[in-house]
Amino acid sequence: MWTFRRAAVPLALAAVVGLAPAPAAAQAPNRAILRGKLLTQLTHISDAFNGVFGIEIIDLTDSSHIGVNQDLVFPQGSAIKVPILIELYRQADAHPALLTQQRRITADTRTGGSGVLQYFSDGGSELSNADLAVLMITLSDNGATNLLIHTVGMDSVNHTLRTMGFTQTKLQRYMIRPEASARGQENISTPAEAASIMARLAHCALPLSAAACHRVTQLLELPKDEPVRSVIPARIPVASKPGGITGVATSWALVELPGRPFVIATMTSYGGTDGDDAIRAAAKAAYAYFIRLAGVTPYGTRVR
């Protein structure tokens, strides 16, 4: 497997740690040149960003990785809602009634920040867990998210992550809990782990049934304001979840590019208001790389 990464040290050199099988072995160096150019672009984006920038990209065709600061831990904002969604559907595989279970929206369940449930009347509505999941993903509704955390259990989310080998991705607080955040109870992950979670979703290599994998992907494909989605042509499905809190911007995305699907997980911290700009720039560079590979022969001849 070809792996291009830049370590978490400014201007450190990337290292090739393996080779992926290719139909034409003589072309491996040619593909390596293209990957090296993408790594250079991502390095420039990282160095130009005024805070800390991290990214991991996985080519789902040959399993190669390209990363910059990919093992650093970052706060996640609303991107942590992806593991919550996975856990909901994991539990629903064993207990299908969980999805139709109704939750009453009351004053006690309202949560500030993004979403609409905070504006609902006290006790005037009930929503199923499945519908709360739609609000959690499309509107990043924090009230819906907190209800789902209460339903599936924070410990269960983290246990499932650990059993899959993801030890740096942790749900440690409910949404909009500044006092918990100040104590260091932050929801965290790394670009490497987030990208791996999305790659496992793409291959349905999660502890989910095939139907549950499909539904989770469908929900993440629903329209939303998201920096990666904004730079990918509308005809290409993107399953994604962004996150943002003060000084932080994140995005976990599966780009279903025909002929060359890929995953991109991008995170920033210690930033200003330009985190989404850095994510968009990285997504543009990644898409330009993968569209160049889609529909070409092992020798680089374009056939479609």
Side-chain angles (χ1 to χ4, degrees):
M1 177 179 72
W2 282 103
T3 302
F4 282 74
R5 302 180 188 275
R6 199 185 70 154
V9 178
L11 298 179
L13 296 177
V16 178
V17 300
L19 293 175
Q27 288 299 296
N30 299 43
R31 295 290 179 92
I33 289 170
L34 294 179
R35 289 192 181 100
K37 288 181 177 180
L38 175 58
L39 180 64
T40 297
Q41 289 179 283
L42 298 176
T43 298
H44 287 164
I45 293 168
S46 177
D47 290 340
F49 182 65
N50 64 0
V52 180
F53 171 95
I55 187 169
E56 177 86 329
I57 296 171
I58 302 177
D59 185 335
L60 295 177
T61 300
D62 65 10
S63 299
S64 60
H65 294 232
I66 301 173
V68 175
N69 296 329
Q70 70 283 345
D71 293 319
L72 292 183
V73 174
F74 289 83
Q76 290 307 298
S78 289
I80 200 66
K81 294 169 184 177
V82 174
I84 298 169
L85 181 67
I86 291 170
E87 180 61 15
L88 173 66
Y89 277 86
R90 187 195 70 80
Q91 293 186 19
D93 271 338
H95 306 285
L98 182 65
L99 294 177
T100 56
Q101 181 184 77
Q102 299 291 306
R103 303 299 303 273
R104 182 175 294 276
I105 310 306
T106 67
D108 290 339
T109 63
R110 294 184 190 136
T111 306
S114 57
V116 297
L117 292 190
Q118 61 188 304
Y119 305 114
F120 280 31
S121 61
D122 184 5
S125 301
E126 290 187 352
L127 291 173
S128 69
N129 286 323
D131 289 339
L132 290 172
V134 173
L135 292 178
M136 177 176 73
I137 296 303
T138 59
L139 300 180
S140 209
D141 193 291
N142 290 316
T145 304
N146 286 349
L147 284 168
L148 290 174
I149 293 173
H150 184 266
T151 295
V152 303
M154 192 176 298
D155 289 343
S156 293
V157 173
N158 291 323
H159 177 73
T160 296
L161 287 166
R162 288 194 302 272
T163 59
M164 290 191 293
F166 301 119
T167 60
Q168 298 299 313
T169 304
K170 299 175 184 178
L171 175 66
Q172 301 186 115
R173 64 169 174 81
Y174 284 83
M175 302 298 111
I176 313 300
R177 295 292 191 270
E179 69 286 351
S181 183
R183 291 195 300 268
Q185 291 173 249
E186 194 54 82
N187 299 321
I188 56 175
S189 187
T190 67
E193 287 201 355
S196 292
I197 290 170
M198 297 304 285
R200 290 182 67 161
L201 175 63
H203 295 301
C204 199
L206 295 169
L208 299 175
S209 66
C213 275
H214 179 65
R215 183 54 179 161
V216 167
T217 303
Q218 279 185 321
L219 289 172
L220 292 171
E221 288 174 350
L222 291 173
K224 63 185 76 69
D225 184 13
E226 204 277 308
V228 174
R229 168 74 278 179
S230 71
V231 301
I232 304 297
R235 70 181 184 277
I236 299 171
V238 176
S240 62
K241 186 72 188 79
I245 49 182
T246 303
V248 169
T250 60
S251 177
W252 302 17
L254 161 60
V255 181
E256 299 165 63
L257 175 65
R260 207 77 189 193
F262 65 96
V263 159
I264 176 171
T266 316
M267 304 171 185
T268 70
S269 62
Y270 295 95
T273 59
D274 55 347
D276 280 353
D277 292 337
I279 293 174
R280 278 189 285 268
K284 283 182 180 179
Y287 177 72
Y289 168 78
F290 284 103
I291 198 68
R292 186 179 297 276
L293 295 182
V296 299
T297 72
Y299 290 97
T301 304
R302 185 157 300 280
V303 294
R304 65 178 185 270

